[in-house]
């Protein structure tokens, strides 16, 4: 089977888009972690924790769809 230039370009663009999404999710996780560490008394703390968990889940699913989260919950 041969790969056409158009298919190859689509594949490269899809991979680049996936990488950009992973980078954005990683930056979001870092920002949420900082918020959680520095503002423990904020009324939004529970919301940030929930958002961090969902963001991590999404990041790990995109990074390795068949893998498992290497960091256990609560770490």
């Amino acid at each position: 089977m041969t790969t056409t230039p158009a298919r190859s370009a689509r594949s490269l663009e899809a991979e680049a888009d996936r990488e950009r999404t992973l980078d954005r999710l990683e930056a979001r996780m870092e920002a949420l972690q900082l918020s959680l560490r520095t503002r423990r008394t904020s009324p939004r703390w529970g919301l940030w924790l929930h958002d961090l968990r969902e963001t991590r889940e999404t990041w790990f699913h995109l990074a390795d769809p068949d893998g498992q989260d290497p960091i256990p919950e609560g770490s």
Side-chain angles (χ1 to χ4, degrees):
M1 182 170 116
T2 61
T3 303
T4 64
R7 180 176 291 175
S8 179
R10 283 192 303 266
S11 177
L12 287 174
E13 182 57 36
E15 182 62 25
D17 187 47
R18 181 180 161 277
E19 289 297 322
R20 286 190 296 270
T21 300
L22 287 170
D23 288 345
R24 284 192 302 270
L25 288 169
E26 189 171 351
R28 182 173 180 80
M29 286 189 293
E30 290 174 9
L32 287 165
Q33 289 168 343
L34 178 63
S35 294
L36 287 168
R37 284 193 305 267
T38 60
R39 300 183 184 126
R40 290 197 181 273
T41 59
S42 173
R44 295 185 184 119
W45 197 86
L47 181 60
W48 291 332
L49 183 59
H50 177 76
D51 196 16
L52 176 61
R53 287 177 177 157
E54 285 190 344
T55 303
R56 283 183 67 232
E57 183 180 312
T58 301
W59 188 92
F60 283 110
H61 177 72
L62 287 174
D64 187 10
D66 299 324
Q68 290 183 316
D69 184 343
I71 303 168
E73 188 64 38
S75 294

